[in-house]
């Protein structure tokens, strides 16, 4: 097996449980490994650190997959997928749709697998996982035996690994929409072309938190996508929900979700959510609950300052729409915005809106997106519910 040699002391982070070696931590490369090839990694004293994926074009040049030298085949991946799948079944025993594999947290660096009832969606966001995709998906077939598998290749993370390609149906016949159930609410999901893999499982537990604050309230749900927070508000007894999203197809799917759950008189606005929040129309309403779930506004460290300002302004404007004593729910899916920075941003937004606030809830991503304690990169979602005075 080809190998890499680390500079002195650069093995400490990986031996402590982190799974990436960065390109500037490598001293020597032996044997001319190809993109995505599995190589051995040694410290400066020639002790084996482990084996993993190598990519000379990525900042994360080495991705650990095992701390011992072993054969990597379908059986290797199957053991890991079985372990991950059993954890999800334990976490959500009455659910059939969830994230099965979350990359590094499940010891398969750069591989994501979502299960939607009898179908699966796979994402390969590292060159090594992509190179081994047939063995990995054979393992998925052995463990889950789905009716069909879609490979989504539209993640921005693939660009960081120099990966390209179009979405593809890997196996089976995939329906246009798949009906799933989460927390006793039904959703139609488009796994072939919907955002990410079609649905945002990471907010599963936060939607339950949100629901309990909506009874008899008028609710605004911005960046609604296919309506998940708004539908949970209705499930919790909201008297009215306004759904806002810039994507007409997303709102059409939200309308279908509204209907399949037996609700009437769908109230949807096709508009840029931030523009709507700042509009006279929104400001003339008397909202008792406002939820915003914007896309990631900080894609890299160099975007931090501009993204932070964007988050602050967006949250400030949304807070201004609330009646006194109202409930404000807000999220950030930007990894580069830490929990402390998220709380600081909210404090600034509340202050600029001329309000006071108390935390009712402070949460993170759902348990099927487990956070690896030794790897901060696996934590990204921040969610808060505030009472605004």
């Amino acid at each position: 097996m080809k190998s890499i040699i680390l500079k002195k002391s650069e093995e400490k982070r990986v031996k402590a449980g982190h799974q990436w070696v960065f390109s500037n931590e490598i001293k020597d490369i032996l044997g001319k490994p190809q993109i995505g090839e599995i190589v051995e990694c040694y410290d400066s004293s020639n002790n084996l650190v482990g084996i993993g994926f190598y990519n000379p074009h990525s900042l994360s040049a080495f991705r650990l997959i095992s701390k011992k030298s072993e054969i990597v085949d379908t059986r290797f991946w199957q053991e890991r997928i079985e372990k991950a799948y059993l954890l999800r079944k334990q976490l959500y025993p009455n659910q059939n749709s969830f994230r099965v594999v979350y990359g590094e947290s499940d010891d398969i660096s750069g591989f994501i697998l979502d299960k939607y009832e009898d179908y699966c969606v796979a994402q390969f966001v590292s060159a090594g996982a992509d190179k081994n995709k047939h063995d990995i998906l054979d393992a998925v077939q052995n463990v889950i035996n789905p009716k069909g598998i879609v490979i989504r290749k539209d993640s921005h993370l693939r660009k960081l690994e120099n990966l390209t390609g179009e979405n593809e149906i890997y196996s089976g016949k995939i329906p246009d929409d798949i009906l799933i159930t989460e927390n006793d609410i039904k959703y139609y999901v488009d796994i072939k072309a919907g955002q990410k893999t079609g649905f945002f499982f990471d907010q599963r537990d936060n939607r339950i938190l949100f629901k309990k604050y909506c009874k008899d309230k008028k609710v605004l749900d911005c960046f609604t996508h296919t309506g998940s927070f708004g539908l949970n508000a209705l499930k919790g007894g909201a008297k009215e929900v306004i759904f806002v999203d810039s994507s007409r197809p997303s709102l059409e799917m939200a309308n279908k979700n509204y209907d399949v759950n037996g609700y009437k008189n769908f109230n949807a606005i096709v508009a840029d959510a931030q523009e709507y929040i700042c509009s006279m129309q929104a400001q003339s309403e008397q909202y008792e609950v406002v939820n915003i779930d914007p896309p990631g506004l900080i894609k890299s460290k160099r975007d931090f300052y501009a993204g932070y300002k964007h988050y602050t302004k967006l949250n400030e404007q949304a807070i201004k729409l609330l009646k006194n004593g109202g409930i404000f729910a807000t999220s950030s899916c930007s990894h580069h915005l830490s929990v402390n920075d998220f709380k600081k941003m909210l404090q600034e937004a509340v202050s600029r809106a001329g309000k006071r606030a108390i935390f009712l809830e402070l949460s993170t991503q759902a348990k099927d997106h487990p956070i690896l304690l030794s790897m901060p990169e696996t934590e990204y979602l921040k969610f808060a519910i505030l009472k605004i005075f």
Side-chain angles (χ1 to χ4, degrees):
M1 191 178 290
K2 296 163 189 175
S3 61
I4 62 171
I5 312 296
L6 303 183
K7 296 176 182 177
K8 188 176 181 179
S9 300
E10 295 292 3
E11 76 283 354
K12 290 181 180 178
R13 192 183 69 259
V14 178
K15 287 187 174 181
H18 203 282
Q19 295 185 13
W20 297 345
V21 169
F22 300 110
S23 55
N24 62 354
E25 297 171 334
I26 297 174
K27 179 183 177 182
D28 292 312
I29 303 166
L30 306 178
K32 297 183 179 179
Q34 302 301 304
I35 297 171
E37 190 170 351
I38 295 171
V39 302
E40 291 178 330
C41 175
Y42 292 90
D43 65 19
S44 59
S45 299
N46 208 35
N47 299 306
L48 181 69
V49 175
I51 62 171
F53 302 138
Y54 175 71
N55 186 353
H57 302 302
S58 173
L59 176 62
S60 305
F62 174 83
R63 292 169 176 258
L64 184 77
I65 58 172
S66 177
K67 289 191 174 182
K68 60 182 180 180
S69 187
E70 57 184 310
I71 296 171
V72 179
D73 55 10
T74 301
R75 183 185 295 274
F76 176 91
W77 303 118
Q78 185 168 325
E79 289 176 356
R80 294 175 181 221
I81 292 168
E82 282 178 343
K83 184 179 178 181
Y85 188 44
L86 286 173
L87 174 62
R88 274 56 174 195
K89 297 298 286 185
Q90 180 183 2
L91 292 171
Y92 302 111
N94 301 315
Q95 303 284 320
N96 292 316
S97 301
F98 39 72
R99 175 149 293 183
V100 179
V101 177
Y102 178 50
E104 285 73 8
S105 294
D106 292 297
D107 289 329
I108 310 180
S109 187
F111 176 58
I112 294 166
L113 183 72
D114 286 339
K115 180 178 180 289
Y116 293 95
E117 295 295 321
D118 296 323
Y119 299 88
C120 285
V121 183
Q123 290 181 303
F124 298 92
V125 296
S126 73
D130 193 70
K131 190 176 181 69
N132 286 268
K133 66 182 178 183
H134 297 296
D135 280 349
I136 293 173
L137 292 179
D138 282 349
V140 170
Q141 200 73 48
N142 293 341
V143 174
I144 300 174
N145 192 28
K147 290 182 179 178
I149 299 174
V150 173
I151 300 178
R152 296 292 297 263
K153 299 181 181 180
D154 44 5
S155 170
H156 74 279
L157 296 174
R158 286 177 60 85
K159 295 177 182 177
L160 302 178
E161 292 276 309
N162 242 18
L163 296 172
T164 59
E166 300 294 326
N167 297 343
E168 65 174 283
I169 296 175
Y170 183 80
S171 67
K173 185 175 182 181
I174 310 297
D176 290 337
D177 296 324
I178 296 170
L179 187 63
I180 70 169
T181 301
E182 179 194 90
N183 303 330
D184 297 322
I185 299 175
K186 297 176 181 178
Y187 300 93
Y188 284 105
V189 179
D190 177 3
I191 66 173
K192 292 184 287 187
Q195 286 188 46
K196 301 297 176 86
T197 66
F199 191 71
F200 299 152
F201 286 128
D202 56 1
Q203 292 277 26
R204 175 198 306 268
D205 301 339
N206 296 331
R207 288 188 273 264
I208 295 176
L209 296 176
F210 177 69
K211 178 173 65 175
K212 67 184 180 183
Y213 295 99
C214 297
K215 186 173 176 59
D216 300 325
K217 304 287 178 57
K218 182 176 181 178
V219 179
L220 174 65
D221 182 22
C222 287
F223 307 95
T224 191
H225 188 226
T226 56
S228 57
F229 272 103
L231 287 166
N232 274 270
L234 290 165
K235 187 76 172 179
K239 66 182 177 184
E240 181 183 0
V241 179
I242 308 299
F243 298 78
V244 180
D245 201 279
S246 61
S247 168
R248 188 175 295 276
S250 290
L251 284 177
E252 289 172 353
M253 187 70 84
N255 195 5
K256 288 182 64 174
N257 293 336
Y258 196 89
D259 288 342
V260 77
N261 286 285
Y263 298 118
K264 307 297 180 185
N265 303 318
F266 185 66
N267 299 314
I269 297 172
V270 180
D272 177 276
Q274 183 158 4
E275 290 180 5
Y276 176 77
I277 287 169
C278 296
S279 70
M280 292 298 295
Q281 179 182 353
Q283 292 168 22
S284 67
E285 301 283 353
Q286 291 290 300
Y287 291 111
E288 296 162 289
V289 179
V290 172
N291 174 69
I292 62 170
D293 185 14
L297 301 177
I298 306 174
K299 298 295 185 185
S300 65
K301 288 183 179 179
R302 67 176 177 270
D303 299 328
F304 180 85
Y305 182 68
Y308 184 93
K309 288 179 64 178
H310 195 167
Y311 273 122
T312 305
K313 184 66 174 178
L314 176 61
N315 280 267
E316 174 194 348
Q317 293 297 329
I319 288 166
K320 287 179 177 178
L321 300 181
L322 280 164
K323 293 176 66 175
N324 189 49
I327 299 295
F328 178 52
T330 181
S331 302
S332 167
C333 60
S334 297
H335 160 69
H336 294 286
L337 186 74
S338 69
V339 174
N340 286 338
D341 286 330
F342 179 65
K343 292 167 73 175
K344 180 183 175 185
M345 176 274 295
L346 288 176
Q347 188 276 324
E348 290 181 20
V350 169
S351 177
R352 291 182 186 186
K355 302 288 186 178
R356 296 183 303 117
I358 58 172
F359 275 108
L360 299 177
E361 310 282 353
L362 184 61
S363 181
T364 185
Q365 63 228 44
K367 297 178 185 67
D368 55 357
H369 295 60
I371 297 166
L372 185 61
L373 189 59
S374 57
M375 196 163 179
E377 291 86 349
T378 59
E379 181 178 13
Y380 66 94
L381 185 63
K382 279 74 59 179
F383 175 77
I385 298 178
L386 307 175
K387 189 170 183 66
I388 305 296
F389 302 96

